Structures are given as C-alpha cells and as structure tokens.
Amino acid sequence: IKKSNEDKIFDFIIYLTAALLVIITLYPMYFIVIASISNPTDVSSGNIVLWPKGINMRGYEQLLNYKQLWVGYKNTIIYALLGTGMNLIVNISASYALSRKDLIGKKLITFYYLVPMFFGGGLIPTYLIVKNFGLLDTRWVMILPFSVITYYIIVGRTFFSNNIPDDLWEAAQIDGCGNLRFFFQIALPLSKAVLAVIALYTAVGQWNAYFNALVYIRSEELKPLQLVVRNILITNQAMAGTGDGLAAQEARRLSELMKYAVIIISTVPIMCVY
C-alpha cells in the first residue's frame, strides 16, 4: 500500500522523536564513559563532547589499588544474590496466598501488609528492633529485615489472580493436588514473567543499596560496594582540598577523574544483568 504524504510526515516525526529520546537517554552514559578515560583538565573545561581526549586510565588504576573495593564487590554480590532469593521467597509466597479466594482472614492480612506501606515506625525504632534481634553489624541485616515489600506483593497477587484461573486449581484438586504442590508445580512455572520482574527490581535495589549499610553496618569487611566507593570519593576529595600548588591541582583533577570511573565500575555489572 502506497503511503500518503501525510503518513510519511507522521512516520518521520515519530522516528525523529524516537531518535531524540534515544540520544537524550544514552548520551549521558556515553559521556561518563569517555570522561572517565579523558584528560581531567579537558573534562572540567568542557572540551569533551563526542570523543575522549588525552586518553588515560589513571582513574581506574587509582581505584583498583584500593583493596577494599574488591571486598565491597564481594559483599554486594552476596547481598544481591541472597537478598533477591529471600525477597522472592517472602513476597511471592505471600502474594500467592493473598490471591487465593479461600484464604481465611484475607482482608485482615492484606490490611496488615498495607499499613506499613504508608506508615513507618521511623529510623530509631527500626534501629532498636534490628539491634534487639542481633542483626546489627551482620550480613543478615542487609537481607532479612527489609525483605518484605508490599508493592511486590500487590504486583504478584494481581498476576496470580489474573493469570492463574480457578478452573486450573479445580482440575488439580480432582487429580489429588494440594495447595503446596499446586503452588510449586503449577503456579510458579506459569509465573516466570512476574518472578523475573520482581527478581530484577530486587537485584537492582540490592546492588544500589547503601543507606541501610550506612546505618546498620560498622565493620569494613561487611560494607557493600556503594558504601566503599562513597568513602573512597570522600577521602580523595578531602585530600584534594588540602594544599596548594601543582600537586594539589593534580590531586583535584585525579579526584574528578575518579568520580566518573566510580560510576562505571559500580553500575556496569548490574546494567549487564539488567
């Protein structure tokens, strides 16, 4: 079918808009990559636009010299894997239970989950609870206390309610299938989409988490990657802010270069997973 001029103009506007959105989205990430390997003087003066200048890897070399960086990587991977697994176990099982029409006290349990979604106890009461449970300054403080997320439960409940028909449960009952067997052998295999979405969101959240670690973790060997790179940047900025002369200027340029390198090092792995 031959397109009219109006259709061609419309298609051109759509493609142009899509191309502009892609550029607006990708260029900041591209700029960070080229800025992390460019001369910091050119970066700070705005001479870096499309191509790197004075290519060097000093920012990455400086970062890789920190042994604590690798400890943070290891901890973050552990928190992301265990936290995602615990999150799925807790939230998916709760969402499936709440999707069942024969659940006794369904409204009361739903209300119990919804209230903390809008009202929190505050930082100090939460800190005291974590401390009383003996989770303070342990790996489990990044995995157990905050694994229940009401939003994920609502998403999972909606998925189970709309995509697992009652007829399927009735047919399974005729074949002698109980609740647990139905959940593990029928409901979960049919719910790979929502499992993937919740797992991905949880993994990204665990990878980027730093506030809980800042509050509840004191040991250096337990700190996640985001907290480690934060401490590295603060230390380098403090060192760059002291002194005068060429050495101080070089330290400030290196500190600026490390900022971009930190962004790349801390985000590329989870972006690849995403």
Side-chain angles (χ1 to χ4, degrees):
I1 300 175
K2 187 177 180 180
K3 290 186 177 181
S4 64
N5 292 332
E6 290 80 4
D7 289 336
K8 292 179 180 179
I9 294 173
F10 179 78
D11 290 344
F12 173 77
I13 294 174
I14 292 297
Y15 284 122
L16 179 62
T17 304
L20 290 175
L21 289 175
V22 169
I23 293 173
I24 292 172
T25 304
L26 294 182
Y27 178 75
M29 293 185 284
Y30 173 74
F31 176 80
I32 290 172
V33 173
I34 62 176
S36 67
I37 59 175
S38 297
N39 188 325
T41 303
D42 291 326
V43 176
S44 60
S45 60
N47 294 330
I48 305 299
V49 180
L50 292 177
W51 309 109
K53 295 183 179 179
I55 296 178
N56 67 87
M57 308 298 290
R58 292 173 56 202
Y60 293 99
E61 292 172 358
Q62 188 73 13
L63 279 176
L64 296 179
N65 288 331
Y66 288 93
K67 295 182 179 179
Q68 189 63 28
L69 182 71
W70 304 110
V71 176
Y73 255 118
K74 181 191 72 174
N75 292 332
T76 295
I77 293 172
I78 293 174
Y79 298 149
L81 292 177
L82 295 181
T84 301
M86 180 59 64
N87 190 290
L88 288 174
I89 292 173
V90 172
N91 295 303
I92 291 297
S93 57
S95 60
Y96 171 74
L98 291 175
S99 69
R100 293 297 304 275
K101 297 178 181 179
D102 56 346
L103 176 65
I104 300 176
K106 180 178 178 179
K107 292 184 178 180
L108 181 61
I109 298 174
T110 303
F111 179 77
Y112 175 79
Y113 278 115
L114 285 176
V115 169
M117 188 176 181
F118 300 101
F119 304 99
L123 180 60
I124 294 177
T126 305
Y127 182 91
L128 294 176
I129 291 174
V130 170
K131 181 179 179 181
N132 291 336
F133 272 99
L135 298 175
L136 201 62
D137 203 24
T138 65
R139 292 192 188 278
W140 294 108
V141 75
M142 298 292 293
I143 300 168
L144 291 178
F146 310 100
S147 58
V148 177
I149 301 178
T150 306
Y151 175 74
Y152 293 163
I153 294 176
I154 294 174
V155 171
R157 183 192 65 179
T158 304
F159 181 88
F160 284 122
S161 298
N162 295 335
N163 294 275
I164 307 297
D166 294 335
D167 296 342
L168 191 60
W169 163 241
E170 293 172 0
Q173 278 185 308
I174 294 174
D175 292 334
C177 184
N179 277 307
L180 286 178
R181 186 178 176 186
F182 181 81
F183 174 64
F184 285 107
Q185 295 188 1
I186 298 178
L188 285 184
L190 295 175
S191 307
K192 294 178 182 178
V194 72
L195 289 174
V197 170
I198 294 178
L200 183 59
Y201 283 1
T202 304
V204 172
Q206 286 283 354
W207 186 274
N208 294 327
Y210 77 95
F211 182 75
N212 289 338
L214 185 65
V215 175
Y216 302 112
I217 291 181
R218 292 292 176 265
S219 303
E220 293 294 330
E221 62 272 13
L222 297 179
K223 290 183 178 180
L225 176 65
Q226 305 299 338
L227 202 57
V228 171
V229 296
R230 172 182 178 273
N231 293 338
I232 291 175
L233 288 178
I234 291 176
T235 302
N236 279 274
Q237 286 178 350
M239 294 176 60
T242 59
D244 296 317
L246 295 177
Q249 293 178 6
E250 182 65 20
R252 282 191 287 270
R253 286 195 290 265
L254 183 59
S255 177
E256 290 295 321
L257 196 62
M258 287 178 63
K259 288 182 181 180
Y260 298 105
V262 161
I263 295 174
I264 298 299
I265 288 177
S266 60
T267 58
V268 165
I270 196 63
M271 287 180 65
C272 293
V273 173
Y274 196 86

